[in-house]
């Protein structure tokens, strides 16, 4: 089984969906297993959720590093190496990673983003999809490359934007799609299959 580390910064609902999908009781043949949950924020709610599932959970607080990203990432790498991680899933990890870190993990690091990339890279994606008058919205899982919210697309899930939609309503719909999409993509990716997964809200 491929050894997976999940990097979070907050709630960790995507992390929970990934952990649930890799639970041997749910999927005995799953090609991946979680070995570490890492947060840059010691207060992230996801840390306790991971620990409750019996997955090692650790915070590497970025604050003491004060802008020394290389030193922060060296601490991340040390924890990842200690856990024997082979793949990284970014799941609401809100720190930008340096090109050097990304290069080290190139081809082995996934991210989930709450928009239909290449539309709406960055933050406030639900507001921006509404402001732009988009007909649909959704989420994307992609391989991480040096460019922010770029890299080969491994899966997308779409939902139509409805009259009366608000950022909160859209966020809730997209979140449910994220929880379906990310586990499907990880399962394929860990088995060496990079064919994109395409889902539609039902
Ligand atoms: C998710 O919607 C994820 O797509 C987004 O943060 C949320 C984390 O929620 N990621 C980004 O915006 C990355 N730039 P979670 O902690 O409940 O999984």
């Amino acid at each position: 089984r491929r050894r997976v580390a999940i990097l979070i910064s907050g709630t960790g609902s995507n992390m929970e969906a990934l952990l649930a999908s890799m639970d041997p009781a749910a999927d005995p043949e799953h090609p991946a297993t979680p070995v570490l949950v890492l947060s840059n924020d010691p207060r992230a709610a996801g840390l306790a959720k991971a620990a409750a599932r019996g997955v090692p959970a650790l915070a590497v607080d970025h604050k003491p590093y004060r802008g020394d990203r290389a030193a922060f990432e060296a601490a991340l790498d040390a924890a990842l190496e200690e856990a024997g991680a082979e793949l990284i899933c970014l799941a609401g990890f809100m720190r930008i990673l340096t090109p050097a870190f990304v290069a080290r993990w190139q081809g082995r690091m996934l991210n989930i983003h709450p928009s239909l990339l290449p539309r709406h890279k960055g933050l406030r994606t639900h507001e921006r999809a509404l402001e732009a008058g988009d007909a649909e919205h959704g989420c994307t899982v992609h391989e991480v490359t040096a460019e922010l919210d770029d890299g080969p697309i491994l899966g997308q899930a779409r939902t139509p934007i409805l009259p009366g939609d608000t950022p909160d309503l859209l966020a809730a719909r997209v979140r449910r799609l994220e929880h379906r999409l990310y586990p499907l993509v990880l399962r394929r990716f860990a088995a060496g299959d990079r064919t994109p997964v395409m889902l539609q809200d039902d």
Side-chain angles (χ1 to χ4, degrees), residues 11 32 35 37 41 43 45-46 56-58 68 71 87 113 129 141 150 152 169 174 178 189 193-195 202:
T11 314
V35 294
V37 169
D41 182 348
R43 299 161 309 175
L58 198 72
D68 187 349
L87 295 178
H113 181 77
V141 177
D150 208 87
L169 286 171
V174 169
E178 291 189 306
F189 189 84
D193 181 357
R194 295 178 189 211
T195 328
D202 43 33

Side-chain angles (χ1 to χ4, degrees), residues 66-82:
R66 287 192 174 275
D68 187 349
R69 285 185 192 270
F72 168 62
E73 291 176 353
L76 291 183
D77 267 328
L80 291 164
E81 189 175 334
E82 171 84 24

